[in-house]
Amino acid sequence: MFTLKNVQLANGEVCDVVIEDEYIKAVGQSMNEGELIDCSGLIALQGFVDLHTHLREPGFEQSETILTGSRAAAKGGFTAVHAMANTMPVADNAAVVEQVYALGKSAGYVQVQPIGAVTLGLNGVQLADLGKMNASKANVTVFSDDGKCVNDSLVMRRALEYVKAFDGVVAQHAQDPALTIGAQMNEGELSLKLGLTGWPAVAETAIIARDVLLAEQVQSKLHVCHVSTKGSVEIIRWAKSKGIKVTAEVTPHHLLLTEKLTSDYNPIFKVNPPLRTDEDVQALREAVADGTIDIVATDHAPHPADSKDCEWGEAAFGMIGLETAAAIVKTTLVDTGLISWSRFEEVLSTNPARIGKLRDQGQQIAEGNFANLTLMDARKVFSVSSNSESKSANNPFLGHELSGEIIHTIYKGVFTVKNSAIQRLGAK
Amino acid sequence: MKHLLSINDLDVQSALSVMNLALEMQQVNAREVKKLPALNGRTVANLFFEDSTRTRFSFELAAKRLSADVVNFSAKGSSVSKGESLKDTVQTIEAMGVEALIVRHHHSGAAKTIANSDWSKSIVINAGDGTHEHPTQALLDALTIRQRLKGKADSGDLAGLRVLIVGDILHSRVARSNCLLLRLLGASVGLCGPATLIPNDALKLADSVYFNLDEALADNFDVVMMLRMQRERMNSAFIPSETEYATLWGLTESRFNSLSNDTLIMHPGPMNRGLEISSTAADSAQSAILEQVTNGVAVRMAVLYKLLAKESSLS
C-alpha cells in the first residue's frame, strides 16, 4: 500500500491517492496510508492506452520485442498497448494472438492486447479467423491489416459485417494501393522538386469515404488509423454528423512534423502515411479538439538501423513514438490552448480503451478502480534525446523541445516507471 | 562548395563560371592532343547504379582528358534487400583511395544521401538521381543554347531567351535541372506534354504550361527541347498509345517545318526517332543534338576541374 501525496487531477483538484494491490483504495485529502510518495507539482492522469503499436514480435525481434516495446510504452506513460497484426507469422489466427497476449502478460509492463488481421496473411482476399481470435484467450475485438489497406470493397464490407457478431471493429489503414504505387512522400510542390513519387491525399480520403459509407450500409463500426490529411478530417466530420459509427486516430508525428523535413532525403522522416503540410497539421490538431478525431495513437514502428542508413527510396517506412507521444500531445494541443487536460485524458486513455474494449483500462482515478496511472511533470521542458527503452533508434523527434515529462507510471498498482526510470519487475 | 548535387548548389556567378571554363575546355578538346595535366594522380570513380552509356562515357573522357585515373563501377539494382547496400558499396570504393564519386542512381536523392552521410568523405557529383536532377546535363544544355543563340564565345547569361521543354516532365530529371538553371540564367521556360505527365504544381517549376503542342509551338520559343519518351509509360496509363503520343506530342516533320528557321532543336538523348522526334527535325541544321553531346565532355571537364583541382572551387 502506498499514497501518492498532493497530485493534481485533470480537473485541477489537488488530492492524495491511496493505492492498495491493483486498485485505487481511496482518493481524498490528508490520506497517509503506507509509503508516502510526494507528487507535489505532478499531474495524475489515467494510464495511457495506445491503439496502434508495432511490437514486431514474433518475427522481427531485431527491431523490437514484446518486452522492449512494453518497456518503451511504460516509459511513455502507457499502461496498455494494442499490438498490430503485421508480424511474422501474421496475427491472423488464435495461436499467434494468444502467444502475443501471453508474452505481454509475462513481460508485465503494460497490458498487451493483440489486434487480429482482417485477412489471411494480410492478403486482402480471404477473411482471417476473426471469430476464433475473438473467442481465444486474447479476446480480440479490433481487427486491422495495418501496413496494408483492405482494398477490396467486398472484403471490407464482409469484414465490417462479420465483426458485428461480437461487437468488433475494423481498423482501416486507408491507402488506395493503385494510387500509391512507388509513392514516397506527400504529393505536391515539394515532391515535384525532390523528384520523389507523390502520395496524393486522395489515396487516403477516397478509401475513408468508401469505408464510412460501407459502415453506414451494414451498420457496423469502423476505426480509421493514422488520419493524415485535412480532407480526411472533413469526410470523418461529415460521417459523424450523419451518425455513422466511425472513430479516428491521429499520430503524434502527424500532429508535429511536416513534409518540409523530407527536403534532405533523410529517411528518418519516411513514414506511411507520409508527413503532410502545415495546413494538414493544423486541421488534425483542430479535429482532436472538436472531437472529429477521437484518439491519439502512436503507430510506434521500430526498424533496425540499416533500414534507415541508406538512400530514401530503399528505406523502411516508420518511426518510433511511444516515449514521446504524451509530450507531443501536451506540447501541440494543451500548451497551445486547443484542448484541456480532460480532453487529453480522453484522447490518450478513455477513448482508446473504449474503442479497444479494454475494461480494466481508461478508468477514472477514483476509489475502487484499477490503479493505472501516469504522473507527469507538466512544467518540465526537455530536448528529446536518443535514450530509449525501444530496441530501435528510428526517432524523428531528436532535438525537438517538448514539454511534459513522465515521472511515474503505475500499472495495476505496480510502479513500472519511478522517478523517470524504468523499473525491474520481479524475476522477469 | 564541395559537391555538385543540384542546380540549387549554384548561383548565377558559379554557373557562368563553369560554363566559361567549359569554353576553355572546348579549346583543349579541339586540339590534336586532348589532354591537360590538371588532375594528374587523382582518382575518380564512376558509380553507376543505373544503365547509362553516354553519361558514363562523357564523364570518363572528361576525367581522362584532365589526366585523372578513372574506375568504373556498375551495380544495377543494388539495394539493402538485394545484395550490397549503398553504404557498403561507397565505403568499399573509398577504401581503395577514390577521391570523387560520380553517381548515377535510380533513387532520387541518392547522391545527396552519400554527400551528407557520415560514411563518405568523397567529392560527389550527381550524374542523375532518379526523377530528381541531372545538373551537368542542364549545364551543357545552357552552354549549347548560349553558343548557338548568342555566339560561340559569349560569356553572359541567357536573359530574354525562351525555352520550351516537351514530353514526360513528371519523370524527367533533365527537365527539373533545366528549369532551375535556365531560369537562374534569365531565360523563361515553358513545359508541354500530356497532363498525366505534367505535375499539378508545374507552374512552381516553370513560367508556362501547355497541354497542346501546336499551341505551344505557335508561341515562337527560341528553343524546343524534346524529352525521351520511356516506352514503359504506356503500361501505367500515362498515355493511351505510342501512335497517339507521336501524333499529338511528337516533333513531326510537319510541326518542324512550321517552326521558324532559327528555332533551336534539342534532345538529351537517347532519341526515339519517330516517337518524340522525327528524323527531319533531329538531323536538320537547326538541331543541336550532337553539339549537346560534344559540350557534355567540356562541361564535365569544367565541373571536375572546379571541384577537384587544387586551389579551385565552383563558387
Side-chain angles (χ1 to χ4, degrees):
Chain A
M1 187 155 50
F2 56 92
T3 303
L4 304 171
K5 295 291 292 178
N6 305 314
V7 301
Q8 185 193 324
L9 301 179
N11 63 14
E13 187 190 336
V14 176
C15 60
D16 303 333
V17 178
V18 183
I19 292 169
E20 185 175 43
D21 300 327
E22 295 187 332
Y23 297 95
I24 295 168
K25 186 184 177 195
V27 177
Q29 302 300 324
S30 305
M31 306 266 177
N32 294 291
E33 299 199 43
E35 186 190 351
L36 305 182
I37 296 161
D38 182 25
C39 294
S40 304
L42 302 185
I43 184 158
L45 300 158
Q46 297 167 201
F48 307 148
V49 176
D50 192 13
L51 197 69
H52 194 145
T53 319
H54 295 277
L55 292 178
R56 301 295 189 220
E57 188 177 2
F60 303 104
E61 290 85 355
Q62 76 276 26
S63 301
E64 196 81 284
T65 66
I66 288 169
L67 177 62
T68 59
S70 294
R71 288 164 65 102
K75 195 81 195 303
F78 289 90
T79 55
V81 298
H82 287 76
M84 267 300 170
N86 61 341
T87 50
M88 185 136 79
V90 173
D92 59 5
N93 61 76
V96 176
V97 294
E98 286 192 349
Q99 184 198 9
V100 170
Y101 179 75
L103 286 168
K105 212 162 185 177
S106 89
Y109 282 91
V110 292
Q111 180 175 350
V112 174
Q113 173 58 48
I115 289 175
V118 177
T119 64
L120 209 59
L122 310 175
N123 68 6
V125 177
Q126 188 182 350
L127 288 185
D129 293 347
L130 309 181
K132 280 162 84 176
M133 288 191 276
N134 176 258
S136 75
K137 284 183 193 136
N139 188 24
V140 176
T141 59
V142 182
F143 298 89
S144 181
D145 277 0
D146 181 66
K148 288 185 172 178
C149 182
V150 181
N151 183 43
D152 187 296
S153 305
L154 182 62
V155 173
M156 187 61 185
R157 175 193 170 144
R158 295 291 183 239
L160 285 165
E161 286 174 322
Y162 200 88
V163 301
K164 285 165 72 176
F166 36 84
D167 193 30
V169 60
V170 178
Q172 174 72 294
H173 173 119
Q175 177 193 351
D176 185 316
L179 287 175
T180 50
I181 294 169
Q184 298 291 323
M185 69 169 292
N186 182 48
E187 180 170 316
E189 183 183 349
L190 190 58
S191 68
L192 165 65
K193 288 184 170 163
L194 294 174
L196 289 171
T197 306
W199 193 304
V202 64
E204 177 174 304
T205 48
I207 294 290
I208 295 174
R210 179 201 70 177
D211 286 353
V212 295
L213 295 173
L214 282 172
E216 180 183 43
Q217 178 79 34
V218 303
Q219 288 297 301
S220 187
K221 289 196 302 188
L222 170 74
H223 176 74
V224 185
C225 296
H226 42 53
V227 172
S228 74
T229 75
K230 183 182 180 184
S232 301
V233 167
E234 285 163 3
I235 300 270
I236 294 163
R237 190 174 285 135
W238 171 83
K240 286 191 164 185
S241 77
K242 294 268 289 176
I244 296 169
K245 290 183 274 185
V246 57
T247 53
E249 76 189 30
V250 63
T251 69
H253 46 273
H254 288 111
L255 288 172
L256 182 67
L257 309 178
T258 69
E259 63 168 0
K260 288 191 197 108
L261 294 162
T262 307
S263 301
D264 278 336
Y265 301 94
N266 182 349
I268 203 80
F269 301 111
K270 184 172 172 179
V271 66
N272 174 351
L275 300 178
R276 304 283 189 184
T277 65
D278 281 322
E279 197 185 357
D280 294 304
V281 167
Q282 201 49 43
L284 293 166
R285 290 180 181 187
E286 282 159 16
V288 175
D290 73 16
T292 303
I293 288 178
D294 303 86
I295 68 170
V296 175
T298 67
D299 197 5
H300 175 82
H303 287 291
D306 288 344
S307 67
K308 291 288 188 180
D309 193 15
C310 58
E311 59 274 42
W312 179 281
E314 290 295 327
F317 289 99
M319 32 185 71
I320 61 171
L322 282 166
E323 289 152 291
T324 42
I328 291 171
V329 177
K330 202 259 175 186
T331 305
T332 60
L333 299 176
V334 178
D335 291 354
T336 53
L338 280 168
I339 69 169
S340 64
W341 280 111
S342 300
R343 179 68 184 154
F344 180 98
E345 219 168 28
E346 280 174 18
V347 299
L348 271 169
S349 180
T350 319
N351 290 349
R354 175 174 49 80
I355 296 164
K357 297 181 83 174
L358 300 184
R359 278 162 308 178
D360 298 354
Q361 300 282 344
Q363 297 180 347
Q364 283 188 315
I365 300 176
E367 187 181 327
N369 284 343
F370 277 106
N372 295 321
L373 288 88
T374 298
L375 289 113
M376 180 191 261
D377 181 349
R379 296 158 307 182
K380 180 75 180 286
V381 175
F382 63 98
S383 172
V384 178
S385 80
S386 55
N387 291 333
S388 173
E389 292 298 325
S390 172
K391 212 169 171 180
S392 291
N394 51 313
N395 184 344
F397 307 113
L398 292 183
H400 272 267
E401 200 146 274
L402 300 174
S403 81
E405 190 187 26
I406 306 298
I407 306 299
H408 309 304
T409 308
I410 299 167
Y411 170 47
K412 288 203 170 170
V414 174
F415 278 91
T416 52
V417 172
K418 197 168 190 179
N419 297 318
S420 305
I422 195 85
Q423 301 295 292
R424 293 221 160 274
L425 298 184
K428 278 146 190 160
Chain B
M1 189 185 63
K2 185 180 173 189
H3 311 287
L4 179 60
L5 307 173
S6 161
I7 293 298
N8 288 322
D9 295 337
L10 303 171
D11 57 17
V12 176
Q13 284 316 310
S14 54
L16 288 177
S17 161
V18 173
M19 289 162 63
N20 293 337
L21 181 58
L23 286 180
E24 295 177 40
M25 297 301 178
Q26 283 179 336
Q27 307 304 314
V28 177
N29 289 338
R31 301 201 301 234
E32 193 173 346
V33 177
K34 301 176 173 58
K35 202 123 177 161
L36 287 179
L39 302 184
N40 199 1
R42 315 293 298 275
T43 310
V44 304
N46 272 321
L47 212 53
F48 276 53
F49 295 88
E50 188 182 76
D51 283 337
S52 159
T53 311
R54 60 187 60 216
T55 304
R56 187 173 64 74
F57 265 42
S58 182
F59 269 110
E60 186 170 353
L61 277 171
K64 284 179 168 167
R65 286 183 184 169
L66 295 173
S67 303
D69 293 322
V70 187
V71 289
N72 289 300
F73 177 93
S74 58
K76 203 180 156 197
S78 173
S79 73
V80 179
S81 52
K82 298 161 275 181
E84 193 178 48
S85 69
L86 183 63
K87 176 180 171 175
D88 286 337
T89 304
V90 166
Q91 286 189 321
T92 302
I93 304 272
E94 284 193 20
M96 297 180 198
V98 167
E99 298 161 83
L101 302 174
I102 296 159
V103 180
R104 159 72 60 100
H105 202 288
H106 46 278
H107 283 310
S108 300
K112 186 161 193 169
T113 296
I114 296 171
N116 287 348
S117 73
D118 56 9
W119 28 269
S120 171
K121 294 183 199 65
S122 291
I123 294 163
V124 181
I125 298 171
N126 183 5
D129 62 324
T131 53
H132 177 225
E133 278 210 51
H134 193 356
T136 57
Q137 177 74 41
L139 286 162
L140 74 86
D141 287 339
L143 178 66
T144 306
I145 292 169
R146 191 175 71 178
Q147 288 196 315
R148 281 290 284 259
L149 300 182
K150 295 196 138 192
K152 267 281 177 202
D154 192 280
S155 62
D157 63 20
L158 304 181
L161 292 178
R162 298 173 64 245
V163 180
L164 179 70
I165 306 178
V166 183
D168 180 359
I169 307 299
L170 180 65
H171 299 97
S172 176
R173 52 195 174 209
V174 174
R176 279 174 181 74
S177 283
N178 264 310
C179 283
L180 290 171
L181 181 63
L182 299 177
R183 295 176 88 206
L184 179 72
L185 295 176
S188 69
V189 178
L191 300 175
C192 176
T196 47
L197 294 171
I198 305 269
N200 278 331
D201 295 293
L203 280 173
K204 302 279 164 83
L205 206 61
D207 301 282
S208 54
V209 168
Y210 302 83
F211 297 132
N212 182 304
L213 181 56
D214 293 310
E215 283 173 20
L217 294 179
D219 273 356
N220 293 316
F221 282 87
D222 300 299
V223 180
V224 175
M225 185 185 293
M226 306 303 296
L227 298 176
R228 176 178 170 80
M229 184 62 203
Q230 304 282 348
R231 287 172 197 270
E232 60 264 29
R233 304 281 174 238
M234 252 67 75
N235 304 325
S236 2
F238 285 107
I239 54 171
S241 67
E242 278 190 36
T243 49
E244 169 145 338
Y245 188 86
T247 308
L248 292 184
W249 309 102
L251 189 58
T252 56
E253 186 170 355
S254 66
R255 282 202 180 97
F256 171 72
N257 288 334
S258 75
L259 294 175
S260 124
N261 289 337
D262 50 10
T263 307
L264 193 63
I265 307 300
M266 298 176 75
H267 192 297
M271 287 183 282
N272 294 302
R273 286 174 185 262
L275 181 54
E276 72 264 5
I277 190 164
S278 61
S279 289
T280 315
D283 301 333
S284 69
Q286 285 166 248
S287 163
I289 294 170
L290 290 175
E291 281 155 75
Q292 290 174 270
V293 179
T294 306
N295 285 342
V297 178
V299 158
R300 285 163 184 137
M301 286 170 77
V303 169
L304 284 165
Y305 185 91
K306 291 271 185 189
L307 291 178
L308 268 94
K310 298 288 182 220
E311 328 236 316
S312 176
S313 124
L314 263 183
S315 44

